[in-house]
Amino acid sequence: MPVSAEDVERQLDAVRASAAGPREGIFGPASVTWQVDREAAIFLGAGRALVLQLAHPWVAAAIADQSRVFTDPLGRFHRTFKVMFTMVFGTRDQAFAVARRLYQRHTAVVGVLPVAAGPFAAGSPYCANDVAALRWVHATLVETALMAYDLVLPPLSYDARERYWSEARLYAALFGIPSDSLAPDWASFVAYNEAMLDSDVLTVIPAARDIVRQIFSGVPTKVRPPFWYRALTAQMLPARLRAAFDLPFGEAEQLSAARALKWMRRSYPLLPDRVRTVGPYQEALARLRGREQPSLVTRWLNRLWIGQPSM
């Protein structure tokens, strides 16, 4: 069931009615979404989110066939975080503009599966704007950001998680995902994720395994991810997907992940906000204080996170 341009506009109209404000954006500074997504620590979950997305055969086939993940890996990183952070920290108009551009980009991502995988036959069509596929990608981003937050900061209360999911439903609308296809509350969202992780919808095809192998080898980027990061990513994944992606998690990996987390849990909360929070969040705070242009430091941080000086 693909999302249409009319579906996207209907969802944006619904978001407009619930948004924090034109300058505050969709969520605003009082939201749990800002509390979570402002933390640089969410990058700890980037590997997990990517691997879980690639476990869906449609996502893996689309990236293998049409993405520049290997020819321009840094550019893909920046584009992904620019979309995410602009939706969360941009003005309402900026969030809507990036949502429309993302939809248009996804309309070109169509193809056929090269091999049979789980419930999908070889040669069956895929499209990036399919509601079920979008719902899974959205779920990986939402759940993993909170999981990464909980790794190094005090876990959110159940009520805060309920608010976080309520806000995430607005985030989903920016992808064009209709609200009636989403879990109504936090407990239902957790159940959806558990069901997906146990289902054969997530079946690792050779292309997915190859993408993960190349990314963690560092060949495309010329920078090999640290051993502790690969170990932590493996720790955050279900055992069956670790095995399917050939991600080792033996004694050496377990010790490395444990040491890294012990150090980060001590040091991360002590970092100054300038270092600990992402550039787009700092830009959003400056905007709400009436500053039209981000500071030099914020522009530098934005280049690090989204590849450009401002949203």
Side-chain angles (χ1 to χ4, degrees):
M1 188 175 69
V3 171
S4 69
E6 292 76 16
D7 293 331
V8 172
E9 292 305 320
R10 278 194 293 271
Q11 295 305 314
L12 295 186
D13 286 342
V15 172
R16 185 179 287 107
S18 301
R23 290 181 66 83
E24 293 86 348
I26 307 305
F27 306 102
S31 66
V32 182
T33 299
W34 275 38
Q35 177 186 341
V36 172
D37 287 7
R38 70 188 177 186
E39 300 288 344
I42 64 171
F43 183 67
L44 295 174
R48 177 190 190 264
L50 175 62
V51 171
L52 288 181
Q53 290 168 24
L54 286 166
H56 195 301
W58 285 16
V59 177
I63 291 178
D65 290 346
Q66 304 183 38
S67 172
R68 290 183 287 171
V69 66
F70 295 136
T71 59
D72 183 22
L74 184 59
R76 179 174 174 80
F77 170 87
H78 283 149
R79 287 189 296 273
T80 299
F81 275 88
K82 180 179 185 297
V83 168
M84 185 184 81
F85 285 140
T86 304
M87 287 179 172
V88 173
F89 298 118
T91 65
R92 188 180 62 194
D93 287 348
Q94 286 175 326
F96 283 5
V98 80
R100 292 183 177 109
R101 287 197 297 272
L102 182 64
Y103 170 77
Q104 290 298 326
R105 189 183 308 157
H106 280 169
T107 59
V109 182
V110 295
V112 296
L113 280 181
V115 295
F120 309 110
S124 60
Y126 68 78
C127 72
N129 274 325
D130 176 80
V131 170
L134 287 172
R135 184 173 56 202
W136 174 241
V137 170
H138 168 262
T140 67
L141 297 174
V142 171
E143 184 197 36
T144 303
L146 187 54
M147 184 180 289
Y149 179 95
D150 288 348
L151 285 176
V152 294
L153 292 166
L156 297 183
S157 67
Y158 189 87
D159 287 347
R161 290 169 192 272
E162 200 70 71
R163 283 183 55 204
Y164 178 70
W165 174 243
S166 177
E167 293 164 7
R169 288 169 58 87
L170 287 180
Y171 184 34
L174 296 174
F175 290 81
I177 303 171
S179 60
D180 60 5
S181 70
L182 295 166
D185 51 35
W186 175 254
S188 301
F189 175 64
V190 171
Y192 162 78
N193 282 303
E194 291 174 348
M196 282 292 292
L197 292 173
D198 288 339
S199 77
D200 63 352
V201 171
L202 301 187
T203 297
V204 179
I205 64 175
R209 195 176 298 109
D210 184 57
I211 292 169
V212 169
R213 179 185 59 78
Q214 291 199 54
I215 288 174
F216 283 106
S217 73
V219 171
T221 61
K222 306 294 189 284
V223 178
R224 184 181 176 88
F227 182 80
W228 66 263
Y229 188 86
R230 286 178 281 143
L232 185 60
T233 298
Q235 177 177 298
M236 296 172 76
L237 291 168
R240 83 168 182 96
L241 291 180
R242 280 201 301 263
F245 278 104
D246 296 329
L247 290 172
F249 193 57
E251 184 177 355
E253 287 81 11
Q254 293 174 41
L255 288 173
S256 180
R259 282 195 298 265
L261 283 176
K262 182 178 180 180
W263 177 82
M264 283 186 288
R265 284 168 178 159
R266 288 177 177 175
S267 60
Y268 183 82
L270 303 177
L271 293 174
D273 285 350
R274 271 295 193 185
V275 176
R276 186 174 133 176
T277 60
V278 299
Y281 167 74
Q282 297 183 33
E283 178 183 343
L285 286 185
R287 180 181 72 239
L288 294 179
R289 296 183 187 121
R291 184 165 184 165
E292 296 303 321
Q293 293 295 327
S295 69
L296 285 173
V297 173
T298 301
R299 291 201 293 270
W300 182 86
L301 287 170
N302 277 341
R303 287 189 183 279
L304 175 68
W305 284 99
I306 62 175
Q308 58 190 56
S310 66
M311 292 182 286

